[in-house]
Structure formats: structure tokens, C-alpha cells
Amino acid sequence: MTAMSVRRAAALTVGAGAAALGWATLVERHWYALRRATLPVLAPGSRPLRMLHVSDLHLVPRQEHRIRWVQALAGLEPDYVVNTGDNCSDLEAVPAVLRAFEPLLEVPGCFVLGSNDYFAPTPKNPMRYFNLSHERGANLGSTPLPVDELVAGFTGGGWTDLNNRRTRVDIRGLDVELVGVDDPHLDYDRYEDVSAAADTDAALTLGVLHAPYTRVLDGMSADGAQLLLAGHTHGGQLAVPFYGALVTNCDLDRGRAKGVSRWWPGAASAGRVGGALAEPYRDRGMSPSGASWLNVSAGLGHSKYAPARFACRPEASLLTLVPRGAEPIS
């Protein structure tokens, strides 16, 4: 290769890198998407339910475009809203978060908390996400957030606090059993305190958690929860086209970094479920009868210290729940 060829290749590489960085920081992180799926999780004979799953807003008060996009989700007219945490990315974010969710607080819903509801973000070396042994929360020296104010705003609006709690709600005439845990990423989860066999009289048992650590997914699935909802992963946030997420920032495999898959006790050792671009419901026949459905949201935001997304659009999920035995569709 000649010196001129080397210089040309170097210039092209630098140009491609600059273009990718510009796309990730200026375009894709603002390119919000609504992902839809239909899941057969309700008891036979139940009427369909429309469930909106939102996660990882990571809001800074000045982000009006994101606030307006979340407010507009109320126009979908969901029957129920599930918020899987990490709402804040700034010490002053709580009033803005409550303003973003204000129209959705008119809809019945529930929530659990993530680490970025308890602690403000701090600058981190991206390589830390490849090693789960790194310090978190208070151990990282992070500044506490006004989490009590956030919880009061959500519960005052009528949403159910599901942090380490099990309860029942009526959703459009359907008896739904809810079970949730506080953030497993901070080791705040206490699933053993709320574990119980899913009530066969309920139309649905729904498990809710922020970070999809396998210990909690296994417990909820073993107890018979038909649907599990989580966030935290950001879908990898900076993904590789045609390959997918590089990390999940927990012990969930990269193949499930976002979207819908099946989960059962032992799923973690069964290997990847397809790839990032695989058909979303493909499990290659590995899942046993009665396996839970798992939806991991890629989330709507990012830390204010990492304002980028690449090959992984920010998203919310609108899940249409139908009786078991129906065929799932994307």
C-alpha cells in the first residue's frame, strides 16, 4: 500500500468516525421510537389490554423535546402504564419528570425505581460497563437525588409503588396480580420477601423490575409470572450494526438487551436467543412450556455524561396483551 493510499484510508476512517459520532450525538439520541408487540399472556377468555412500558427517561430539565414526546404517549390511550425506573439525570430533574408524565398519570399504572432515581449520574469510563464489579450508587460517591419527591409525585398521581411489593389491581375489569422489586443493580431487590406462586385466579401475573438481573427473572418466572418488564440496558446504547449490543450492564445476555424474548429458570445458561436483528419471538425451540414473556425496554434516554445513541433508537413499548394460545405478532 502506498503512502497516499494509507493517508486516504486514514482520512476515510476519521471521516466515518466523525459522521458516526455526529449521528449518535445529534440525531439518533433524539429519534424516539414506539415499539409495538402483541403478547399472549392473559388468561383464556380475557379481553385484550394495551400496556405502555416506559423506562430510563434519564431526564435533564431542559430536554423539552423528550418531555413533549412522553406527554404525547397519552394519545395512545393505554389501559395501563408501567414505568421501570431511571427517570432522572440531574439533581433538579424531578419536577420535569413529573411534568413529562403528567398526562400519563391520568392512566392507572405502577413503577419501580432504578439507580438514577436514587443517585445523580457521574462521569464514568465507558470500559467500566464491561466489568460488573465496578462501584455503584453511594459507593461511587454519587450525590443522592430527591427520590421521596419522585415517589410522592407518582403515588400522588395514582400509580402503584411496586418496590419490593406484591399487590392486585383491576385493569378494565381484569384482575391483575403485580409483583415488583427495588433496583437489583444496587442490590436493593428483596424478591424473597414478596415471592409467591402466581394466583391462578388472576388474569395475569406481571413481574416488574428495573435491571433485569437473572436472579430476579428466575424467581419471578419460577413463581409463574406470565410477563416480565424491565429496562436498564439502554439496548446497549452504542450498538454495532448487524451485531447488536456490546454490553447490558448486568448479567443478562446481549441477545436480550432489548425487545421481547422468553425467560425461564435456567434461560441464562441456555445461550443467546437469536441475535440483535433476529426475529423478535424466535427462541429456537429452547423455551419450555409456560416460559415467561420478557420485554426489555431500550429506554428513552441516557446519562447526561454520555449523550449518544448509535444503532439503538430510544424507545417506549406499547404491548397489546391477549389471551394465552393466541399467536404473538410484532
Side-chain angles (χ1 to χ4, degrees), residues 30-31 43 66 73 208 229 242 248:
H30 302 296
W31 190 22
R66 190 176 304 168
L73 292 172
V208 183
L229 300 183
F242 308 109
T248 62

Side-chain angles (χ1 to χ4, degrees), residues 46-47 49 169-176 203:
S46 301
R47 67 171 69 185
L49 289 179
V169 295
D170 180 281
I171 306 176
R172 291 188 60 217
L174 292 184
D175 179 20
V176 175

Side-chain angles (χ1 to χ4, degrees), residues 46-84:
S46 301
R47 67 171 69 185
L49 289 179
R50 287 159 55 87
M51 186 168 287
L52 179 66
H53 178 194
V54 291
S55 195
D56 295 88
L57 186 62
H58 288 284
L59 195 66
V60 171
R62 64 178 178 271
Q63 293 168 329
E64 287 295 328
H65 176 57
R66 190 176 304 168
I67 291 171
R68 291 194 300 272
W69 196 88
V70 173
Q71 290 173 334
L73 292 172
L76 298 170
E77 299 183 346
D79 299 309
Y80 201 73
V81 179
V82 178
N83 181 331
T84 49

Side-chain angles (χ1 to χ4, degrees), residues 92-106:
E92 305 298 326
V94 170
V97 168
L98 296 177
R99 182 159 60 88
F101 285 117
E102 185 175 10
L104 288 171
L105 285 168
E106 298 296 320

